[in-house]
Amino acid sequence: MANTWTWEQVEQQFGMTKWGAEQKSTKQYARETKKQKTTLQIHAGVPFLSFSIFEEEADWMGMAFSTKLGGISQGYLAEMNFGWNRGDDDETVRENYRIMSKALQIAPERLVFSDQVHDTKVEVVTEKMAAGDKIEKHLAGVDGIITEEEELVLATSYADCVPLFFADPVHKVVASSHSGWRGTVGEIGAKTIKRMQQEFGSDPGDIRCLVGPSICQDCYEVSEEVAEAFRAVYEPSLWDEILAPGKMPGKYQLDLYAACYETLKKAGALPEHIQVSGVCTCCHSSILFSHRATAGKRGNLNGFIWKRASQEVPES
């Protein structure tokens, strides 16, 4: 049976009921973007995160990001694990999707799962790719998904990698992409925007973008090889924004927030239309799954984004 949560329980155990905009950074993305908020909400006993960049679009789209809380998984996967290959029973994972779907008032059979392989393939999806009654994955080798179809819910998984979410309020298109360090070097954020342009005529300047909860620079140490991969893609003027000396010789601290932000901006997204959540999965590993914090012994978080059903216009 699912563990249901109240505000009082969350506050008592985790000492918070809201996630403020955790941007105390002097980075360019913190200076250029509007102050945005990340908020913890609880519906039907299930806590999840919402983001102010999408508040003005709530009449036509929805978006939520899970926490560890509210599901039926046990042990190191407790409670709300969405990972099929993390050691959980498949039926337990399916039930977690049902529980979250009920909380978000979406249909679990209308979920579309990405199949993340740390690449940059982006696909437009339709109801043919939906999970169906058995709640099954039908895509293979796809890290980014886009749709214009109503009530088709894009579901992507994370546990430190960067979640990127997109909403075009003009053409009513939503998208979600998984951007680990390889996907970030491969500029999957820009490729998602370009695909929205090609398929639906989206103007990058209209698109609202979210750089979601993921590992922060202080927590993310990388090798010289990874640092060189970023230097090969980003302009030298941005290297200090993205990379800092590590705590050990030959190591670096990588800022995926800054890298993804610069990629989105280069693709034509406006700074005022980008939210960098600033919520670190590793720093908050008590409530969010983190691969780095647990040496890989963890479940998966999920992001959900969807286009709502059109409101019928009453006859005059």
Side-chain angles (χ1 to χ4, degrees):
M1 189 171 180
N3 189 14
T4 57
W5 290 80
T6 65
W7 284 111
E8 292 76 16
Q9 289 172 324
V10 172
E11 190 169 35
Q12 183 178 17
Q13 186 160 337
F14 302 102
M16 66 186 81
T17 56
K18 286 191 176 181
W19 304 66
E22 301 182 1
Q23 311 294 37
K24 296 176 183 176
S25 172
T26 58
K27 292 291 185 79
Q28 191 162 313
Y29 60 77
R31 297 195 307 270
E32 292 183 349
T33 57
K34 291 167 63 177
K35 188 174 182 180
Q36 302 277 1
K37 287 200 298 186
T38 301
T39 304
L40 183 70
Q41 298 191 39
I42 301 177
H43 291 177
V46 178
F48 60 87
L49 300 179
S50 64
F51 306 88
S52 57
I53 192 69
F54 296 128
E55 283 180 355
E56 293 184 3
E57 318 310 323
D59 62 325
W60 71 272
M61 55 81 64
M63 188 269 154
F65 194 83
S66 71
T67 70
K68 283 182 173 183
L69 310 178
I72 63 170
S73 298
Q74 301 293 317
Y76 68 89
L77 298 166
E79 302 166 351
M80 188 65 87
N81 167 49
F82 291 116
W84 299 103
N85 57 351
R86 304 308 309 175
D88 221 342
D89 179 75
D90 282 356
E91 186 52 37
T92 297
V93 177
R94 291 188 184 97
E95 184 59 21
N96 285 339
Y97 277 112
R98 293 185 191 104
I99 292 166
M100 177 60 82
S101 295
K102 182 177 180 182
L104 299 179
Q105 298 182 311
I106 58 177
E109 64 272 14
R110 297 281 291 171
L111 294 165
V112 177
F113 302 116
S114 59
D115 181 58
Q116 296 156 201
V117 292
H118 296 273
D119 202 349
T120 59
K121 187 176 181 181
V122 180
E123 292 285 358
V124 175
V125 298
T126 67
E127 64 180 351
K128 292 179 181 178
M129 292 85 160
D133 292 338
K134 294 182 179 180
I135 311 183
E136 295 176 328
K137 183 186 294 187
H138 298 296
L139 294 172
V142 176
D143 281 72
I145 45 182
I146 306 170
T147 194
E148 65 170 350
E149 293 195 13
E150 295 179 356
E151 299 185 301
L152 199 62
V153 184
L154 308 182
T156 44
S157 299
Y158 309 90
D160 282 344
C161 292
V162 181
L164 299 176
F165 301 97
F166 308 81
D168 175 358
V170 176
H171 296 87
K172 302 297 189 286
V173 177
V174 295
S176 177
S177 292
H178 163 262
S179 191
W181 78 259
R182 290 181 179 85
T184 303
V185 164
E187 299 182 297
I188 192 171
K191 289 176 179 177
T192 305
I193 288 176
K194 185 175 181 180
R195 194 73 190 272
M196 292 171 74
Q197 287 179 276
Q198 292 171 336
E199 298 289 339
F200 303 106
S202 295
D203 181 338
D206 292 328
I207 299 172
R208 274 53 174 175
C209 306
L210 170 66
V211 179
S214 42
I215 195 166
C216 73
Q217 185 172 27
D218 287 346
C219 293
Y220 195 28
E221 182 182 80
V222 298
S223 67
E224 176 72 42
E225 179 185 5
V226 174
E228 280 301 315
F230 278 82
R231 292 193 190 105
V233 171
Y234 292 90
E235 295 292 329
S237 61
L238 296 173
W239 290 355
D240 288 344
E241 285 281 311
I242 295 169
L243 293 163
K247 299 162 184 137
M248 301 283 290
K251 299 293 184 179
Y252 295 84
Q253 301 301 126
L254 175 60
D255 191 340
L256 289 175
Y257 302 169
C260 287
Y261 171 73
E262 294 298 335
T263 295
L264 295 173
K265 201 169 62 162
K266 183 180 176 183
L270 302 179
E272 60 266 34
H273 292 165
I274 303 172
Q275 178 177 356
V276 179
S277 77
V279 175
C280 175
T281 46
C282 191
C283 291
H284 296 293
S285 59
S286 62
I287 195 169
L288 301 173
F289 288 118
S290 168
H291 186 87
R292 181 80 40 131
T294 60
K297 199 171 182 181
R298 48 77 184 175
N300 278 358
L301 304 164
N302 246 71
F304 303 86
I305 188 166
W306 66 96
K307 178 179 176 179
R308 300 188 193 278
S310 301
Q311 298 296 318
E312 292 186 8
V313 179
E315 295 182 8
S316 55

